Amino acid sequence: MLIRTHTCGQLRDAHVGQTVRLNGWVNAYRDHGRLIFIDMRDRTGVSQVVFDPETGAGAAVMEAADRLRNEDVIAAEGTVRVRIGGENPKLATGKVEVVCTKLEVLNKTENPPFLPEDPGAGGKLPNEELRLKHRYIDLRRPRMQQILGVRHKVYQSTRRYFDENGFLEIETPILYKSTPEGAREFLVPSRHLPGNWFALPQSPQLFKQILMVAGVDRYMQICRCFRDEDPRADRQAEFTQVDLEMSFVCRERVMEMMEGFVRRLWKDVAGVDVPAIQRMGYREAMERFGIDRPDTRYGLEIADISEVAARSEVGFFKEALAKGADLPRFNSGRGVVKAIRVPGGAERLTRKITDGYNEFVRGFGAGGCAVVKVNAAGELETGIARLLQSVKAGVVTALGLKPGDTVLFVADVYSTCTKALGELRQAVARDMGLVPRPGAEGGPWNFLIVVDFPMFERDKETGRWIAMHHPFTAPRDDQAEAFVNADPSDAVTIESIVSAGYDIVVNGQEIAGGSIRIHAPRVQSKVFQLLGMTPEQAKEKFSFLLEALSYGAPPHGGIAFGLDRLVMNFVGTGNIRDVIAFPKTQIGQDLMTGAPGPVTEEQLREVHARALVPPRA
RNA sequence: GGGGCGGUAGCUCAAUUGGUUAGAGUACCGGACUGUCGAUCCGGUGGUUGCGGGUUCGAGUCCCGUCCGCCUCGCCA
């Protein structure tokens, strides 16, 4: 075999005159009869190889070259020279070409179902189903190779940073114990213990805490996590986290460490200097932006106008405000009226668009979205304008209205109203063209750390308390006493306790979340009690953790970054499948390997399991 | 589990109100061609219109079911 001396993306005019050998795929062929051009591709780039009988290509070489087709795997030997036909500015190697004297066809290809080409202007990729089935071809595309490279850089930068900061990389089990809190789990039957099952970890949470008890002090891992829930464009059942945990730290120290990591990563991978990251409380985020991961690159903040709305003649305002009127102001069940002022919306947001908003907020459980426009004379128009007339001055002042504005109103209980407007705000920002493209295209990266989350929220169906982050999250230092002493039936107090948790948000997307953990058994027991677990149940589920905590657990805390989402940001895609080498579809299938697939009766017997339904064909 | 969009040649798409033999570009096959780089020119092969049923004289088109892909709500401690 003619083993390569250079890669296909390497040749420059400095190589002119050298004899080189290239290995790669036929990216394109242009056959002029007695003159043939082949573009050879490997992951580094493309080089043009010329076959010309007058410059050393014998009859056999010409004949073989004539038969080359896209995606054949070849080796070519020849001399580098400046291109006779002029430079091709589209290629990094475009100044030179290889005049081929020897050609070896390493492997002919079947006619491929599609060619691994990035879509040019107006071009389209073959549909994703086909590309997933033949992932090995799709991954040959320069874009996919680039993404694999960026992901590699993220791994390397991550390991360097945490190594420099004294973290030990430690692997934790993939065959794990089922912890029925949280996401649905993937199960694996045990052969040795009939009737018993492993679960694949939703995260290494408990192991990393136990590593702290074990004196590891600083742990990190780039680990696979599994959650058997329906995917989204940015979610996959099997995904990767940068997981870390630190001992003898307060919340501030962990946030410093993770901020340092973000700064290093963005510098290494994107060449961006990240400024000091702003902090924002959960309550403030929800009030101003209606979401716990606000995108603060644009305004469109949400205003609570309940007070003035109560004096209006709008029936559904009053109806909403009557709900839970006796509850504290931020209680999820209290009725409120909120609005977003959209500067310039009167012109850009057409009736068709705002009708869409009405449907949009209904999707989040709100009754609808009222729309009022401010005309050039400063008068309110359309929708409920007439019913607001009596409180017009109050509305104008509360929202700072100006001519040309559109105002979007939602009235409902606090949780629904906030959620609906938080989602609507993002949709409006897109429609108004307010969302910059991040990163290389020039838009800013907008980082935010959100803190002071509530410890608990109500389960929407059962009304029971559930942990907002997870049941091992500690209350904020100054809240610990109040928490331990709180009466479990005192809902107002329970709801007011905030945790020592923190999320990192970039451009409105959560990329990391963590907390200081509970290291005191009495605090942990209190959490379990609130979650409705008896001491016996808690022991049954988490005895190993409780036991570990009782044998000298240091104060500790940590965080986990969603690595796939980090890579998505760096490469500018909204599709998580783009950044995973072998991703799964919406129903969790791997279209290339055909997983999941049936197993034999014998295999089932060995693990003491039986199928309730036959495998689907 | 709910809602939406889609599935026609290997690929990307078209096909008027339900109406002639389902077309085009590209890929592939054959031929021509000495400077291309989306090579060009000539010719050709290629179809269970995802699958199953129904309505109709007649279905790619309408109806029902189903499978698959994507987006999304729920879900994701």
Side-chain angles (χ1 to χ4, degrees):
Chain A
M1 175 186 165
L2 301 169
I3 291 181
R4 64 185 169 195
T5 57
H6 296 74
T7 61
C8 295
Q10 193 180 354
L11 299 179
R12 298 291 184 274
D13 33 18
H15 297 93
V16 167
Q18 292 182 25
T19 297
V20 300
R21 286 195 293 263
L22 298 179
N23 298 157
W25 285 261
V26 174
N27 196 55
Y29 61 93
R30 295 176 291 280
D31 185 346
H32 292 238
R34 281 205 292 280
L35 181 68
I36 298 171
F37 300 95
I38 300 288
D39 290 343
M40 277 183 74
R41 182 197 71 240
D42 62 21
R43 78 170 153 106
T44 66
V46 170
S47 283
Q48 174 164 286
V49 180
V50 194
F51 297 83
D52 183 347
E54 289 177 18
T55 50
V61 169
M62 287 306 291
E63 197 189 322
D66 183 56
R67 281 198 303 268
L68 291 178
R69 291 297 178 267
N70 292 322
E71 299 309 306
D72 284 340
V73 186
I74 61 174
E77 180 178 295
T79 321
V80 180
R81 75 175 175 202
V82 173
R83 287 191 183 210
I84 290 177
E87 181 181 351
N88 180 352
K90 291 179 194 165
L91 294 179
T93 62
K95 282 201 169 72
V96 296
E97 62 190 4
V98 175
V99 187
C100 186
T101 48
K102 288 185 194 164
L103 172 68
E104 195 174 343
V105 178
L106 303 174
N107 208 353
K108 283 294 284 183
T109 179
E110 294 293 321
N111 187 23
F114 60 95
L115 295 177
E117 294 166 332
D118 290 327
K124 277 185 80 172
L125 287 168
N127 82 55
E128 194 171 3
E129 194 173 352
L130 186 78
R131 289 187 287 120
L132 288 174
K133 187 172 173 192
H134 304 278
R135 189 63 166 173
Y136 39 85
I137 296 176
D138 201 33
L139 287 174
R140 288 179 195 163
R141 276 163 49 211
R143 168 69 168 164
M144 298 307 269
Q145 295 280 329
Q146 179 228 337
I147 291 173
L148 291 174
V150 168
R151 190 166 174 127
H152 168 81
K153 265 182 145 175
V154 169
Y155 296 144
Q156 302 314 318
S157 173
T158 298
R159 292 204 159 99
R160 271 200 306 276
Y161 176 81
F162 287 111
D163 177 54
E164 287 165 17
N165 283 283
F167 287 73
L168 292 189
E169 181 170 355
I170 299 174
E171 291 180 85
T172 54
I174 293 292
L175 295 175
Y176 197 20
K177 184 182 158 74
S178 173
T179 53
E181 307 293 312
R184 191 179 298 119
E185 296 171 319
F186 290 94
L187 297 175
V188 181
S190 160
R191 177 170 59 90
H192 287 299
L193 292 167
N196 288 292
W197 300 72
F198 295 102
L200 305 185
Q202 302 169 37
S203 80
Q205 181 61 35
L206 300 183
F207 279 105
K208 69 176 175 175
Q209 289 191 238
I210 284 173
L211 285 171
M212 296 302 103
V213 183
V216 164
D217 201 292
R218 290 184 174 191
Y219 141 92
M220 71 83 60
Q221 181 181 195
I222 296 177
C223 64
R224 200 64 62 86
C225 303
F226 306 88
R227 294 178 190 173
D228 189 8
E229 302 289 350
D230 289 351
R232 288 288 182 275
D234 62 350
R235 245 167 50 187
Q236 181 98 164
E238 182 176 351
F239 65 102
T240 304
Q241 283 189 343
V242 176
D243 193 48
L244 61 118
E245 195 77 6
M246 308 167 71
S247 288
F248 306 112
V249 287
C250 56
R251 184 170 81 167
E252 209 48 47
R253 188 53 62 83
V254 181
M255 289 196 288
E256 276 169 28
M257 186 62 71
M258 69 196 208
E259 196 171 333
F261 172 54
V262 164
R263 194 163 284 120
R264 165 70 70 86
L265 199 55
W266 255 260
K267 185 70 180 172
D268 280 358
V269 182
V272 169
D273 290 304
V274 175
I277 301 179
Q278 300 296 308
R279 310 278 159 90
M280 186 181 292
Y282 170 86
R283 178 77 70 210
E284 181 183 348
M286 294 304 283
E287 280 294 291
R288 291 173 59 195
F289 305 101
I291 195 162
D292 61 0
R293 45 178 172 81
D295 189 336
T296 52
R297 288 175 297 172
Y298 49 86
L300 300 182
E301 292 194 21
I302 297 167
D304 188 326
I305 56 158
S306 300
E307 218 168 279
V308 60
R311 291 184 276 113
S312 78
E313 284 149 50
V314 183
F316 66 89
F317 281 3
K318 295 185 174 182
E319 270 170 50
L321 289 168
K323 293 179 192 164
D326 53 331
L327 294 168
R329 180 161 170 227
F330 297 119
N331 189 283
S332 57
R334 179 182 167 117
V336 291
V337 179
K338 296 187 176 211
I340 298 177
R341 177 178 85 94
V342 186
E347 194 177 333
R348 293 198 60 168
L349 299 179
T350 62
R351 176 65 190 265
K352 191 178 169 191
I353 293 175
T354 54
D355 282 353
Y357 291 161
N358 197 46
E359 281 310 302
F360 183 83
V361 299
R362 282 168 184 268
F364 295 97
C369 170
V371 181
V372 165
K373 296 187 175 191
V374 186
N375 69 17
E379 294 302 319
L380 304 185
E381 288 182 343
T382 76
I384 57 170
R386 191 174 52 81
L387 301 171
L388 287 172
Q389 213 47 48
S390 59
V391 292
K392 186 192 161 196
V395 172
V396 168
T397 308
L399 291 166
L401 295 186
K402 294 191 173 62
D405 290 350
T406 286
V407 189
L408 306 167
F409 299 88
V410 173
D412 212 305
V413 295
Y414 185 92
S415 57
T416 304
C417 180
T418 304
K419 164 97 175 161
L421 276 176
E423 298 291 339
L424 181 62
R425 171 178 175 268
Q426 299 177 97
V428 173
R430 283 190 293 273
D431 292 341
M432 292 293 293
L434 297 174
V435 186
R437 297 183 62 186
E441 286 85 5
W445 294 100
N446 183 261
F447 293 89
L448 191 67
I449 295 179
V450 180
V451 296
D452 296 343
F453 291 85
M455 287 274 285
F456 303 97
E457 57 188 342
R458 297 259 195 202
D459 184 290
K460 280 184 270 304
E461 279 152 33
T462 64
R464 293 202 316 220
W465 293 114
I466 50 177
M468 192 154 181
H469 186 43
H470 56 56
F472 317 107
T473 302
R476 203 174 66 189
D477 274 355
D478 57 338
Q479 310 252 308
E481 264 327 288
F483 172 65
V484 174
N485 296 328
D487 181 339
S489 65
D490 179 0
V492 171
T493 301
I494 300 299
E495 205 176 37
S496 74
I497 303 287
V498 300
S499 77
Y502 30 77
D503 279 1
I504 301 187
V505 175
V506 62
N507 297 346
Q509 184 190 37
E510 183 192 330
I511 54 165
S515 62
I516 298 297
R517 325 298 183 187
I518 297 167
H519 64 277
R522 72 184 184 118
V523 179
Q524 188 66 70
S525 298
K526 180 82 179 187
V527 171
F528 288 147
Q529 180 197 353
L530 272 167
L531 296 179
M533 261 184 260
T534 64
E536 291 72 30
Q537 285 170 327
K539 199 174 169 195
E540 151 74 25
K541 285 178 186 170
F542 303 114
S543 64
F544 63 104
L545 176 70
L546 294 174
E547 233 179 88
L549 291 178
S550 72
Y551 289 119
H556 62 285
I559 189 165
F561 287 78
L563 184 138
D564 309 286
R565 287 187 183 172
L566 292 172
V567 179
M568 286 170 70
N569 274 287
F570 290 129
V571 304
T573 179
N575 180 350
I576 195 170
R577 295 177 299 281
D578 284 348
V579 303
I580 296 174
F582 299 103
K584 293 182 172 60
T585 68
Q586 296 241 339
I587 58 169
Q589 293 194 85
D590 175 343
L591 296 180
M592 185 182 72
T593 64
V599 295
T600 64
E601 281 298 319
E602 174 59 24
Q603 285 175 292
L604 286 176
R605 258 197 307 279
E606 270 189 338
V607 296
H608 320 287
R610 188 160 52 211
L612 289 176
V613 294
R616 216 162 58 183

